[in-house]
Amino acid sequence: MAVRLPRPHRFDVFLAAGGLAGGIVLWALGLHTSGSGVLGADWGLIPLTVTAGLELLRRTRPQLALIFGTFAITFDMFTPGNVATILMFTDLAYTAVLYGSPAAARRIPVTTGLVSLGVTLGFLVWWREPQAILVGLGCAVVSFGPAATGALVRNHHEAAETARLRAEQTALLAEMDRTQAVTAERARMARELHDMVAGHLSAIAIHSTAALSLDDPDTSRTSLAVIRENSVAGLTEMRRLIGILRDSGGETGPMPTPTLDGLGALVAGARANGLDVTLDAGQGSVPAPVELAAYRIVQESLTNALKHAAPGPVLVLLRRADDALRIEVSSPYRPGDGPRAPGSGAGLPGMRERAALLGGALTAGPGGDRWTVEALLPLAEHTLAEHTRTEHTRTEGAVPKGTARTEVSDEEVSA
């Protein structure tokens, strides 16, 4: 079965043709590397032709080309010699290291170096004259020099390729970090938007339903007043959030964030919407992240009570205990009651996310005739700092680890 050699590179064809043509011109002019040889000058065309043919394999079969090239250059030593044959052999030694296998690239410079040293010592022993060093030097220039140069160039190419791959990996990691940061920020924005607007929209839905179902001018007027109040408040919250998103230059001061001091106004708004709310908040300062999370948890709990709770008192309790802030919001609950307003089911997961981001925990569910939301938020500074840093380095999606897989019951989804 015939062996099909790969198609040579176009540059290799030009190099082989040029080397062969140049060698023939030198042979025709009688220009040789030595004045004499065991064989005549015509014999020098054989290694010239073989070496030129091997140039066609310099990229595709570099090691095979070097092996046969070594036999050709050895045969050329028994003729007057041709410069073109020597130059093409040096190219074969160079490309065997540059394009050959990694093992060959390591072995060839060592082998050629040892051969050059052996030739030098052999001629010194044979001739016993200093001129033998020149023979060994010539052998090193023809074989070891090109091989060493090929090794240097190959190492440079490999280093450049490694740097390119490292740069691509760095760019890929940067893009992944950017995508994760954008996803986490979008999740945070969605949570804030839900907490700020859901209560107002729920109140609007409930009072608009009452205004449409009751044929009482006074009731309708009262409902429309509550609808207008919640619409204005919702638009104000939306404007505040949009202002934060648009403020990329930092020319304006930071927008105020809700604190526990605003719970009174929050409860007053819930009462205006028809809830019978009692607030029992203990005194004492807490870190700003805990204040914001506690405010949003109470706000979302009151929104859920407005949408889903049965008529009756709603209790809001905040207490400090064991370096933690305990939040409890309970509202009347009767199994089987349908919701008073449609819900999206994002309230409880959002509250759990807020608690988990601070290293706390949140539970919600029925107990007797009450639906209770309980949250425990740590107040230790080192715990808050650790979980704040973790929030910005999440790599498991849009929600934090530990909350992304939270299972929500059918009853919780309605909340």
Side-chain angles (χ1 to χ4, degrees), residues 286-289 378-388:
V286 297
L379 301 177
E381 294 294 339
H382 68 277
T383 304
L384 294 176
E386 177 183 353
H387 284 275
T388 300

Side-chain angles (χ1 to χ4, degrees), residues 73-349:
I73 195 68
T74 304
F75 184 82
D76 187 69
M77 295 174 60
F78 294 94
T79 69
N82 194 307
V83 174
T85 302
I86 297 175
L87 292 179
M88 285 189 288
F89 174 79
T90 60
D91 181 68
L92 294 178
Y94 169 79
T95 54
V97 177
L98 183 60
Y99 299 123
S101 64
R106 291 190 298 268
R107 289 196 302 263
I108 292 175
V110 176
T111 303
T112 54
L114 293 177
V115 169
S116 300
L117 180 60
V119 169
T120 303
L121 295 178
F123 275 93
L124 276 175
V125 173
W126 184 18
W127 289 354
R128 298 184 183 275
E129 293 183 4
Q131 284 80 1
I133 299 177
L134 298 179
V135 177
L137 181 61
C139 180
V141 170
V142 172
S143 59
F144 175 72
T149 304
L152 292 176
V153 175
R154 184 186 180 113
N155 291 338
H156 176 74
H157 287 176
E158 291 178 350
E161 180 66 15
T162 301
R164 185 186 65 81
L165 294 176
R166 187 181 295 113
E168 290 181 355
Q169 285 185 335
T170 302
L172 179 60
L173 291 175
E175 179 63 20
M176 292 175 59
D177 290 342
R178 187 195 68 81
T179 302
Q180 292 165 359
V182 170
T183 302
E185 184 64 16
R186 290 178 63 179
R188 188 181 69 86
M189 290 164 52
R191 190 167 55 244
E192 288 290 329
L193 181 61
H194 175 273
D195 292 346
M196 289 191 301
V197 180
H200 299 299
L201 294 181
S202 299
I204 292 173
I206 291 173
H207 285 278
S208 62
T209 302
L212 292 173
S213 60
L214 298 177
D215 189 11
D216 184 355
D218 293 335
T219 302
S220 298
R221 181 178 295 275
T222 302
S223 298
L224 290 175
V226 174
I227 290 173
R228 183 184 184 282
E229 179 183 351
N230 280 276
S231 300
V232 173
L235 288 173
T236 301
E237 294 286 357
M238 285 287 293
R239 191 177 297 111
R240 170 182 172 272
L241 180 59
I242 293 173
I244 293 175
L245 297 178
R246 286 182 173 177
D247 182 23
S248 59
E251 298 178 355
T252 60
M255 301 294 291
T257 57
T259 62
L260 294 182
D261 294 335
L263 289 180
L266 181 64
V267 169
R271 289 171 181 162
N273 290 330
L275 287 180
D276 180 12
V277 186
T278 300
L279 173 65
D280 184 3
Q283 300 296 324
S285 61
V286 297
V290 177
E291 274 197 299
L292 176 59
Y295 182 92
R296 293 303 188 197
I297 289 174
V298 173
Q299 182 184 40
E300 180 59 27
S301 299
L302 294 178
T303 298
N304 288 341
L306 178 65
K307 293 192 293 184
H308 309 299
V314 178
L315 305 179
V316 179
L317 175 66
L318 281 85
R319 285 289 184 272
R320 292 185 58 142
D322 299 331
D323 293 330
L325 178 65
R326 178 173 171 267
I327 306 168
E328 181 179 331
V329 182
S330 63
S331 57
Y333 170 76
R334 285 198 301 266
D337 281 351
R340 299 171 58 194
S344 64
L348 288 176

